[in-house]
Amino acid sequence: DRYFMINNLKKNEELLLLLFTSSLLLLINIGNIKEFFCDDEYLYIKIAGEMFQKKVLFIPVWFEEAAYFKPPFTYWLMMMFFPFGGVNITTGRFSIAFISVFTIYFIYLLGKRLYGREEGYLAGLLTCTSFGYLIYGRVGMMDMPLTFFMTLSIYSFYRAFQEKSSFYGALFFVLT
């Protein structure tokens, strides 16, 4: 059958397979800083770590000074994972991999609504196996949270347009 026999899978099995595949690809060797490392990643994880240790939520802090380099969502995301793995580069990367998997989920949903189940699966699979996604989907930088919000806002816009939904319309504006 076309698209690797997607028709033989039950409705939720394809989604679980896609999320498992993307999780596996993003988590393999995630702690290896020799594979890909950027100075900005170190900066963002240190800012999130200092915010976490000082219990400061709304003001990004670096060396005890306000650091308004970027919006705080990525710092908050990293801070959510620090209680489980400590303040380190691997835990900061886990948070980005987590949001990257959610991005794949919404790409699947958008593709499914636009073109069908098989096409949604293929869109998610092609995205999670692309080179750029495999790199930036596991590095503690701002790119994947931005991609997540862009994807979710496009999905919300489409739902608002199709369903004439004021909820999704408002969600689109909030996310954008």
Side-chain angles (χ1 to χ4, degrees):
D1 213 25
R2 69 179 201 179
Y3 299 47
F4 309 108
M5 298 188 186
I6 299 305
N7 281 330
N8 294 336
L9 294 175
K10 293 181 183 172
K11 289 183 181 181
N12 291 333
E13 287 178 354
E14 69 191 17
L15 178 58
L16 291 175
L17 180 63
L18 179 63
L19 295 179
F20 175 77
T21 303
S22 62
S23 298
L24 185 66
L25 290 172
L26 291 169
L27 294 177
I28 288 176
N29 211 18
I30 198 167
N32 184 358
I33 60 171
K34 293 178 183 174
E35 183 178 308
F36 184 82
F37 182 75
C38 179
D39 292 338
D40 290 347
E41 177 184 31
Y42 177 79
L43 173 71
Y44 301 147
I45 292 171
K46 286 296 183 184
I47 290 172
E50 195 166 336
M51 288 171 67
F52 176 74
Q53 290 167 343
K54 296 187 183 306
K55 296 179 179 29
V56 176
L57 188 59
F58 294 105
I59 300 173
V61 179
W62 189 40
F63 290 116
E64 299 188 18
E65 298 216 7
Y68 299 110
F69 303 124
K70 300 285 182 172
F73 178 79
T74 303
Y75 305 139
W76 295 337
L77 186 64
M78 290 177 182
M79 289 168 61
M80 286 180 7
F81 282 76
F82 287 155
F84 305 109
V87 178
N88 58 55
I89 200 162
T90 303
T91 307
R93 286 180 171 185
F94 269 116
S95 63
I96 301 303
F98 176 77
I99 201 86
S100 299
V101 171
F102 269 105
T103 305
I104 293 296
Y105 173 70
F106 283 105
I107 288 172
Y108 166 80
L109 289 180
L110 182 61
K112 182 179 167 185
R113 283 189 169 273
L114 285 169
Y115 302 108
R117 206 173 113 223
E118 294 172 347
E119 289 79 1
Y121 178 81
L122 188 60
L125 187 64
L126 289 173
T127 302
C128 79
T129 56
S130 68
F131 181 71
Y133 202 87
L134 290 173
I135 294 297
Y136 288 103
R138 55 197 287 179
V139 176
M141 294 178 56
M142 306 286 173
D143 300 287
M144 286 318 298
L146 175 64
T147 304
F148 170 76
F149 280 112
M150 289 172 56
T151 303
L152 193 52
S153 67
I154 293 168
Y155 176 76
S156 298
F157 179 80
Y158 182 75
R159 292 280 306 260
F161 181 76
Q162 281 298 110
E163 300 170 15
K164 308 293 187 245
S165 168
S166 59
F167 170 76
Y168 283 108
L171 187 60
F172 164 73
F173 284 107
V174 168
L175 293 167
T176 301

